[in-house]
Amino acid sequence: MNSLLASLPNLLDDVVPDGDDDSQNELVSEWGDVSSLPKELGWDEDFTPLWHDDVATNLGGWQSDAAVGMSGARFVSLTGDVARLERAISSYFLDRASQKGYTEVSPPLVVSRTALEGTSQLPKFEDDLFKIMPESHTCNGEDAFLIPTAEVPLTNMHAGAILEESELPISYCALTPCFRAEAGSYGRDTRGLIRTHQFYKVEMVKITTAETSADEHEKLTRHAQECLEE
C-alpha cells in the first residue's frame, strides 16, 4: 500500500491548465523587456550575446577539462573572478533572503531515503540521485544519498515534529551544492551549468498552514523574483 501511495503524483491546483507538454503552459507573469536590452546596455547593432560558459571561458575562469579529468563528464571548475562572482551572487541572494525574514541554515549534504520520500524525490527520481555505498555510510541504517537540492534537508528540519500554529510560518534559506545524476536528460540542455552533476543553489523554503499556504507561496515567489529584478 505504501509503495502504491508513494507512486501517486502531487495533485495540481485547480488553476493549472490542462496540457500535453510545456508548450501549452500559460504565461501568468513577466518582467522587463528583452528587446530593450541592447539599447539599455549599449550594445552595437551587430553584437551577439554569448552563452555564460563562453563568457566565463573568455575570462579564463571556466576550467571544464580539469574538472572532467578528475571527476568525469558534466563537471566544471570555476576559477578566479568567475569563482568570486559565483560566491558574490550566492552571498547577495542569502543576504537578501535573510533581510526578508528567512533564517539561514547550513544543512547536511547527505540525507536518508526517508527524508527524500518526505519531499517526493523518491521513489520517482531515484535514478537521478547520487547514492552512497552502504559500506561507506548509511543514515541511521537507511540508504544514504547526496542532496539534489537544499529543499530536502530544509523541509526535513521539522520532520515528525508537531508545530504550534503560532510558530508558523517558518522561513528558511540555504546555499548548498546540489548533486544530480540527470539520468533522463541525455541530449538536452547540455551546455554550461544547466545540466552539470554538481552546482550551487540558494534555496528558500516555507513551512506554514494549509490555509495560508497559497499566500506564503506567492510571497516566496515574489521574494525570489525581487532578487533577480534588483
Side-chain angles (χ1 to χ4, degrees), residues 10-30:
N10 290 332
L11 298 178
L12 298 179
D13 192 287
D14 291 337
V15 302
V16 178
D18 293 330
D20 296 324
D21 53 42
D22 57 8
S23 67
Q24 296 178 293
N25 286 347
E26 177 183 330
L27 178 63
V28 296
S29 176
E30 59 183 342

Side-chain angles (χ1 to χ4, degrees), residues 95-150:
D95 289 344
R96 293 297 287 130
S98 296
Q99 292 167 8
K100 295 177 186 298
Y102 294 77
T103 299
E104 184 174 345
V105 179
S106 179
L109 305 182
V110 177
V111 294
S112 68
R113 178 175 291 276
T114 295
L116 286 157
E117 289 174 345
T119 52
S120 298
Q121 267 77 22
L122 290 178
K124 182 178 181 180
F125 299 114
E126 183 156 359
D127 289 343
D128 289 329
L129 299 175
F130 280 102
K131 185 177 181 179
I132 296 174
M133 298 298 291
E135 307 89 75
S136 174
H137 178 72
T138 62
C139 295
N140 301 316
E142 292 187 32
D143 292 336
F145 300 82
L146 296 178
I147 64 168
T149 166

Side-chain angles (χ1 to χ4, degrees), residues 169-186:
I170 297 173
S171 304
Y172 287 135
C173 65
L175 167 67
T176 67
C178 302
F179 303 93
R180 300 185 184 180
E182 296 288 359
S185 64
Y186 179 78

Side-chain angles (χ1 to χ4, degrees), residues 5 7 21 42 75 102 110 132 134 146 176 188 190 192-193 200 217 230:
L5 292 174
S7 67
D21 53 42
F75 284 93
Y102 294 77
V110 177
I132 296 174
L146 296 178
T176 67
R188 60 186 176 88
T190 56
L193 292 170
Y200 284 90
H217 175 256
E230 295 166 355

